[in-house]
Short mmCIF file of all heavy atoms in Angstrom, two decimals:
data_model
loop_
_atom_site.label_atom_id
_atom_site.label_comp_id
_atom_site.label_asym_id
_atom_site.label_seq_id
_atom_site.Cartn_x
_atom_site.Cartn_y
_atom_site.Cartn_z
N GLY A 228 98.98 104.53 103.63
CA GLY A 228 99.46 103.72 104.74
C GLY A 228 100.00 102.36 104.33
O GLY A 228 99.72 101.85 103.25
N SER A 229 100.79 101.78 105.21
CA SER A 229 101.35 100.46 104.94
C SER A 229 100.31 99.38 105.23
O SER A 229 99.30 99.62 105.88
CB SER A 229 102.59 100.24 105.81
OG SER A 229 102.24 100.28 107.17
N GLU A 230 100.58 98.17 104.73
CA GLU A 230 99.70 97.03 104.95
C GLU A 230 100.51 95.85 105.44
O GLU A 230 101.64 95.64 105.00
CB GLU A 230 98.99 96.63 103.65
CG GLU A 230 97.99 97.61 103.15
CD GLU A 230 97.27 97.11 101.90
OE1 GLU A 230 97.67 96.06 101.36
OE2 GLU A 230 96.33 97.78 101.47
N LEU A 231 99.93 95.08 106.35
CA LEU A 231 100.52 93.84 106.80
C LEU A 231 99.44 92.78 106.76
O LEU A 231 98.41 92.91 107.41
CB LEU A 231 101.09 93.96 108.22
CG LEU A 231 101.75 92.71 108.77
CD1 LEU A 231 103.01 92.38 107.96
CD2 LEU A 231 102.11 92.88 110.22
N ARG A 232 99.67 91.75 105.95
CA ARG A 232 98.69 90.69 105.78
C ARG A 232 99.30 89.35 106.17
O ARG A 232 100.48 89.11 105.94
CB ARG A 232 98.19 90.63 104.35
CG ARG A 232 97.49 91.89 103.92
CD ARG A 232 96.79 91.70 102.60
NE ARG A 232 95.86 92.79 102.35
CZ ARG A 232 94.63 92.84 102.82
NH1 ARG A 232 94.16 91.87 103.54
NH2 ARG A 232 93.86 93.87 102.56
N LEU A 233 98.46 88.50 106.73
CA LEU A 233 98.85 87.13 107.05
C LEU A 233 98.29 86.24 105.95
O LEU A 233 97.09 86.23 105.69
CB LEU A 233 98.27 86.72 108.41
CG LEU A 233 98.69 85.37 108.95
CD1 LEU A 233 100.18 85.38 109.23
CD2 LEU A 233 97.93 85.05 110.20
N SER A 234 99.16 85.55 105.24
CA SER A 234 98.77 84.73 104.10
C SER A 234 99.00 83.27 104.42
O SER A 234 100.03 82.90 104.97
CB SER A 234 99.60 85.13 102.88
OG SER A 234 99.29 84.31 101.79
N GLY A 235 98.02 82.43 104.09
CA GLY A 235 98.14 81.00 104.33
C GLY A 235 96.95 80.27 103.75
O GLY A 235 96.04 80.86 103.18
N PHE A 236 96.95 78.95 103.91
CA PHE A 236 95.87 78.10 103.42
C PHE A 236 94.97 77.71 104.57
O PHE A 236 95.45 77.31 105.63
CB PHE A 236 96.44 76.83 102.77
CG PHE A 236 97.24 77.11 101.54
CD1 PHE A 236 98.62 77.20 101.60
CD2 PHE A 236 96.62 77.27 100.32
CE1 PHE A 236 99.36 77.46 100.46
CE2 PHE A 236 97.36 77.53 99.18
CZ PHE A 236 98.73 77.62 99.25
N ASP A 237 93.63 77.80 104.37
CA ASP A 237 92.69 77.39 105.41
C ASP A 237 92.42 75.89 105.30
O ASP A 237 93.07 75.18 104.53
CB ASP A 237 91.40 78.22 105.35
CG ASP A 237 90.64 78.05 104.06
OD1 ASP A 237 91.07 77.27 103.19
OD2 ASP A 237 89.61 78.71 103.91
N GLU A 238 91.45 75.39 106.08
CA GLU A 238 91.16 73.96 106.14
C GLU A 238 90.70 73.40 104.79
O GLU A 238 90.94 72.24 104.47
CB GLU A 238 90.09 73.66 107.19
CG GLU A 238 90.51 73.94 108.61
CD GLU A 238 90.15 75.34 109.05
OE1 GLU A 238 89.60 76.12 108.24
OE2 GLU A 238 90.43 75.67 110.22
N SER A 239 90.03 74.23 103.99
CA SER A 239 89.54 73.77 102.70
C SER A 239 90.57 73.89 101.58
O SER A 239 90.29 73.53 100.44
CB SER A 239 88.26 74.53 102.32
OG SER A 239 88.54 75.90 102.16
N GLY A 240 91.74 74.43 101.87
CA GLY A 240 92.80 74.56 100.87
C GLY A 240 92.79 75.87 100.11
O GLY A 240 93.58 76.06 99.20
N LYS A 241 91.88 76.80 100.48
CA LYS A 241 91.83 78.10 99.83
C LYS A 241 92.88 79.03 100.44
O LYS A 241 93.13 78.99 101.63
CB LYS A 241 90.45 78.72 99.99
CG LYS A 241 89.36 78.01 99.22
CD LYS A 241 88.01 78.58 99.50
CE LYS A 241 87.91 80.02 99.08
NZ LYS A 241 86.56 80.59 99.30
N VAL A 242 93.44 79.90 99.61
CA VAL A 242 94.41 80.89 100.09
C VAL A 242 93.63 82.00 100.78
O VAL A 242 92.67 82.54 100.25
CB VAL A 242 95.23 81.45 98.91
CG1 VAL A 242 96.14 82.56 99.40
CG2 VAL A 242 96.03 80.36 98.25
N ARG A 243 94.08 82.35 101.99
CA ARG A 243 93.44 83.42 102.76
C ARG A 243 94.48 84.51 103.02
O ARG A 243 95.61 84.22 103.39
CB ARG A 243 92.93 82.89 104.10
CG ARG A 243 91.90 81.79 104.01
CD ARG A 243 90.59 82.32 103.61
NE ARG A 243 90.12 83.25 104.61
CZ ARG A 243 88.89 83.31 105.06
NH1 ARG A 243 87.99 82.52 104.60
NH2 ARG A 243 88.56 84.19 105.97
N ASN A 244 94.10 85.75 102.81
CA ASN A 244 94.93 86.92 103.14
C ASN A 244 94.14 87.75 104.14
O ASN A 244 93.10 88.30 103.81
CB ASN A 244 95.23 87.76 101.90
CG ASN A 244 96.19 87.07 100.98
OD1 ASN A 244 97.19 86.53 101.43
ND2 ASN A 244 95.91 87.07 99.70
N ILE A 245 94.66 87.86 105.36
CA ILE A 245 93.95 88.51 106.44
C ILE A 245 94.78 89.69 106.92
O ILE A 245 95.97 89.56 107.19
CB ILE A 245 93.68 87.53 107.59
CG1 ILE A 245 92.87 86.35 107.06
CG2 ILE A 245 92.97 88.21 108.72
CD1 ILE A 245 92.80 85.19 108.00
N ASP A 246 94.14 90.86 107.03
CA ASP A 246 94.81 92.07 107.51
C ASP A 246 95.05 91.94 109.02
O ASP A 246 94.11 91.80 109.79
CB ASP A 246 93.95 93.28 107.21
CG ASP A 246 94.61 94.58 107.63
OD1 ASP A 246 95.86 94.61 107.68
OD2 ASP A 246 93.90 95.55 107.89
N VAL A 247 96.32 91.96 109.43
CA VAL A 247 96.67 91.80 110.84
C VAL A 247 97.53 92.95 111.35
O VAL A 247 98.14 92.84 112.42
CB VAL A 247 97.42 90.45 111.07
CG1 VAL A 247 96.50 89.29 110.83
CG2 VAL A 247 98.66 90.35 110.21
N LYS A 248 97.55 94.05 110.64
CA LYS A 248 98.43 95.16 111.02
C LYS A 248 98.12 95.68 112.42
O LYS A 248 99.03 95.82 113.25
CB LYS A 248 98.28 96.30 110.00
CG LYS A 248 99.13 97.51 110.33
CD LYS A 248 98.95 98.60 109.32
CE LYS A 248 99.68 99.85 109.72
NZ LYS A 248 99.49 100.93 108.77
N GLU A 249 96.86 95.97 112.72
CA GLU A 249 96.50 96.54 114.03
C GLU A 249 96.80 95.57 115.16
O GLU A 249 97.27 95.96 116.22
CB GLU A 249 95.03 96.96 114.04
CG GLU A 249 94.71 98.09 113.08
CD GLU A 249 95.52 99.34 113.37
OE1 GLU A 249 95.72 99.67 114.56
OE2 GLU A 249 95.94 99.99 112.40
N GLU A 250 96.53 94.29 114.95
CA GLU A 250 96.79 93.29 115.98
C GLU A 250 98.29 93.18 116.28
O GLU A 250 98.70 93.12 117.44
CB GLU A 250 96.25 91.93 115.53
CG GLU A 250 96.60 90.79 116.45
CD GLU A 250 95.94 90.85 117.80
OE1 GLU A 250 94.92 91.54 117.95
OE2 GLU A 250 96.46 90.20 118.72
N ILE A 251 99.13 93.20 115.25
CA ILE A 251 100.58 93.11 115.45
C ILE A 251 101.11 94.37 116.11
O ILE A 251 101.94 94.30 117.02
CB ILE A 251 101.29 92.84 114.11
CG1 ILE A 251 100.93 91.45 113.58
CG2 ILE A 251 102.79 92.99 114.23
CD1 ILE A 251 101.42 90.31 114.44
N LEU A 252 100.63 95.54 115.70
CA LEU A 252 101.07 96.78 116.34
C LEU A 252 100.68 96.79 117.82
O LEU A 252 101.48 97.21 118.67
CB LEU A 252 100.46 97.99 115.63
CG LEU A 252 100.99 98.28 114.23
CD1 LEU A 252 100.23 99.44 113.61
CD2 LEU A 252 102.47 98.58 114.25
N ASP A 253 99.48 96.33 118.16
CA ASP A 253 99.06 96.25 119.56
C ASP A 253 99.86 95.22 120.34
O ASP A 253 100.24 95.45 121.48
CB ASP A 253 97.57 95.92 119.66
CG ASP A 253 96.69 97.06 119.21
OD1 ASP A 253 97.19 98.20 119.12
OD2 ASP A 253 95.51 96.80 118.93
N LEU A 254 100.12 94.07 119.72
CA LEU A 254 100.84 92.99 120.39
C LEU A 254 102.25 93.40 120.78
O LEU A 254 102.73 93.07 121.86
CB LEU A 254 100.87 91.76 119.48
CG LEU A 254 101.55 90.50 120.01
CD1 LEU A 254 100.80 89.99 121.23
CD2 LEU A 254 101.60 89.45 118.93
N PHE A 255 102.91 94.17 119.92
CA PHE A 255 104.29 94.58 120.17
C PHE A 255 104.41 96.01 120.68
O PHE A 255 105.52 96.51 120.82
CB PHE A 255 105.13 94.41 118.90
CG PHE A 255 105.41 92.98 118.56
CD1 PHE A 255 104.59 92.28 117.70
CD2 PHE A 255 106.49 92.32 119.12
CE1 PHE A 255 104.83 90.96 117.40
CE2 PHE A 255 106.75 91.00 118.83
CZ PHE A 255 105.92 90.32 117.96
N SER A 256 103.30 96.68 120.92
CA SER A 256 103.28 98.08 121.39
C SER A 256 104.12 98.98 120.48
O SER A 256 104.95 99.75 120.94
CB SER A 256 103.78 98.16 122.84
OG SER A 256 102.98 97.39 123.67
N ARG A 257 103.89 98.87 119.20
CA ARG A 257 104.61 99.65 118.21
C ARG A 257 103.67 100.63 117.52
O ARG A 257 102.47 100.44 117.52
CB ARG A 257 105.24 98.74 117.15
CG ARG A 257 106.33 97.85 117.68
CD ARG A 257 106.85 96.96 116.58
NE ARG A 257 107.51 97.71 115.53
CZ ARG A 257 108.82 97.72 115.33
NH1 ARG A 257 109.61 97.07 116.13
NH2 ARG A 257 109.33 98.40 114.34
N LYS A 258 104.26 101.66 116.91
CA LYS A 258 103.49 102.61 116.13
C LYS A 258 103.69 102.40 114.63
O LYS A 258 102.82 102.75 113.84
CB LYS A 258 103.89 104.05 116.49
CG LYS A 258 103.53 104.43 117.90
CD LYS A 258 103.90 105.86 118.18
CE LYS A 258 103.54 106.22 119.60
NZ LYS A 258 103.92 107.61 119.91
N ARG A 259 104.83 101.84 114.25
CA ARG A 259 105.16 101.68 112.84
C ARG A 259 105.69 100.27 112.57
O ARG A 259 106.23 99.62 113.44
CB ARG A 259 106.23 102.67 112.43
CG ARG A 259 105.80 104.08 112.52
CD ARG A 259 106.89 105.01 112.06
NE ARG A 259 106.47 106.38 112.22
CZ ARG A 259 107.27 107.36 112.51
NH1 ARG A 259 108.54 107.15 112.65
NH2 ARG A 259 106.80 108.58 112.64
N LEU A 260 105.55 99.87 111.31
CA LEU A 260 106.12 98.62 110.84
C LEU A 260 107.31 98.93 109.95
O LEU A 260 107.43 100.02 109.42
CB LEU A 260 105.09 97.84 110.02
CG LEU A 260 103.85 97.40 110.75
CD1 LEU A 260 102.85 96.82 109.75
CD2 LEU A 260 104.19 96.38 111.80
N GLY A 261 108.15 97.95 109.76
CA GLY A 261 109.28 98.10 108.86
C GLY A 261 109.64 96.76 108.25
O GLY A 261 109.20 95.70 108.72
N GLU A 262 110.43 96.79 107.20
CA GLU A 262 110.81 95.57 106.49
C GLU A 262 111.58 94.61 107.41
O GLU A 262 111.33 93.41 107.39
CB GLU A 262 111.66 95.96 105.28
CG GLU A 262 111.78 94.87 104.24
CD GLU A 262 110.50 94.66 103.46
OE1 GLU A 262 109.79 95.62 103.17
OE2 GLU A 262 110.21 93.50 103.14
N SER A 263 112.52 95.13 108.20
CA SER A 263 113.30 94.25 109.06
C SER A 263 112.45 93.63 110.17
O SER A 263 112.63 92.47 110.52
CB SER A 263 114.48 95.02 109.68
OG SER A 263 114.00 96.08 110.48
N PHE A 264 111.48 94.39 110.69
CA PHE A 264 110.58 93.85 111.71
C PHE A 264 109.72 92.72 111.14
O PHE A 264 109.54 91.68 111.78
CB PHE A 264 109.70 94.97 112.27
CG PHE A 264 108.68 94.50 113.26
CD1 PHE A 264 109.08 94.05 114.51
CD2 PHE A 264 107.34 94.51 112.95
CE1 PHE A 264 108.14 93.62 115.43
CE2 PHE A 264 106.40 94.08 113.86
CZ PHE A 264 106.80 93.63 115.10
N VAL A 265 109.22 92.88 109.93
CA VAL A 265 108.40 91.85 109.30
C VAL A 265 109.24 90.61 108.98
O VAL A 265 108.77 89.48 109.10
CB VAL A 265 107.70 92.40 108.04
CG1 VAL A 265 106.94 91.31 107.30
CG2 VAL A 265 106.76 93.52 108.43
N ASN A 266 110.51 90.80 108.61
CA ASN A 266 111.40 89.65 108.39
C ASN A 266 111.60 88.86 109.67
O ASN A 266 111.63 87.62 109.64
CB ASN A 266 112.75 90.12 107.84
CG ASN A 266 112.63 90.62 106.42
OD1 ASN A 266 111.70 90.28 105.70
ND2 ASN A 266 113.58 91.44 106.01
#
């Protein structure tokens, strides 16, 4: 399966990678992700 992660820095300056695939699919009522959609 594909993966979609949200990457950023938290309050302490550490890099965080959080899996957000299910949340994004639910938010947009989609079944699949694609490169153009992520762009």
Side-chain angles (χ1 to χ4, degrees):
S229 62
E230 291 183 353
L231 181 66
R232 298 191 166 276
L233 186 65
S234 177
F236 295 97
D237 62 2
E238 294 92 358
S239 63
K241 291 175 62 177
V242 175
R243 300 285 298 223
N244 289 315
I245 302 167
D246 183 26
V247 293
K248 179 181 174 181
E249 295 302 321
E250 173 68 20
I251 294 295
L252 290 176
D253 290 343
L254 182 63
F255 288 93
S256 301
R257 293 178 66 107
K258 294 182 180 179
R259 296 182 183 147
L260 297 172
E262 197 72 37
S263 62
F264 177 69
V265 175
N266 290 338

